[in-house]
Amino acid sequence: MSAPSLTKFVLKRPWLRRWMMPISKWYADAAGYRKLGLRVDDLIPEESETVMLALKRLPPKEAYDRVFRIRRAFQCGLSHQLLPKDQQTKPEEVGATVHRTRTAVLTKPQDYLYLTPIIRQIEQESRERGDLDSMVVNRNKNRKEKPKDH
């Protein structure tokens, strides 16, 4: 799930951020998922064990809303139509991320991530479990053992 990201690199350089923001807004609009009423986390395939476990951990309302959005988008795809403008996901509805720099506090619109934080948590738990499972415990050989009384 995790992929390399240039977000921090771009946000640290104001000139690069000013240049990239219009491109990122255009790309998000051109992707078309907002015109079908979807959020970015609705596009994550459900084929991996991690994503299936994250879907089980979703609150019931959020899980219902996800299924509703996916079914509605599927129906729009079958009928070759887009949702009316009032039902499409709008950029101002998706949320905001606050980034602090040395000179200012920047607010950038970002899709509401409801599934990604859970997936990251599951990946972290899996890494931690793997580290604990592969840990080797070495006994101190200099320590004398007490004789057992029978």
Side-chain angles (χ1 to χ4, degrees):
M1 170 64 203
S2 299
S5 176
L6 295 174
T7 305
K8 291 180 183 177
F9 178 80
V10 171
L11 289 175
K12 287 181 181 178
R13 288 148 183 88
W15 63 273
L16 189 56
R17 183 176 31 83
R18 281 193 305 272
W19 186 71
M20 292 295 287
M21 284 304 283
I23 295 171
S24 68
K25 289 177 184 175
W26 171 83
Y27 182 78
D29 188 48
Y33 64 89
R34 289 181 181 167
K35 293 178 182 174
L36 295 173
L38 295 172
R39 295 181 179 166
V40 72
D41 276 356
D42 294 336
L43 305 176
I44 298 173
E46 302 176 7
E47 297 164 355
S48 74
E49 292 291 325
T50 305
V51 176
M52 290 187 343
L53 184 59
L55 289 172
K56 289 178 185 175
R57 290 187 186 182
L58 275 178
K61 177 158 179 24
E62 195 68 56
Y64 176 81
D65 290 346
R66 174 188 166 85
V67 170
F68 175 78
R69 287 190 302 269
I70 291 173
R71 286 185 180 175
R72 183 175 59 177
F74 184 73
Q75 188 65 35
C76 288
L78 287 176
S79 63
H80 299 287
Q81 294 179 350
L82 297 177
L83 286 176
K85 290 275 188 192
D86 61 328
Q87 294 179 10
Q88 294 179 4
T89 305
K90 296 165 189 63
E92 57 271 5
E93 291 177 359
V94 294
T97 303
V98 177
H99 297 281
R100 299 186 189 284
T101 62
R102 285 183 236 154
T103 57
V105 175
L106 309 169
T107 303
K108 112 178 170 80
Q110 179 181 336
D111 281 316
Y112 171 68
L113 302 176
Y114 64 92
L115 191 59
T116 303
I118 299 172
I119 292 172
R120 287 184 189 141
Q121 179 185 13
I122 291 171
E123 288 174 344
Q124 181 182 2
E125 290 171 2
S126 176
R127 281 191 303 271
E128 186 176 328
R129 188 176 300 113
D131 290 344
L132 288 175
D133 287 347
S134 65
M135 184 174 19
V136 177
V137 178
N138 294 327
R139 285 186 98 179
N140 189 355
K141 295 182 180 173
N142 295 334
R143 189 174 144 202
K144 294 180 182 178
E145 292 189 27
K146 296 180 183 176
K148 293 181 182 178
D149 295 331
H150 292 285

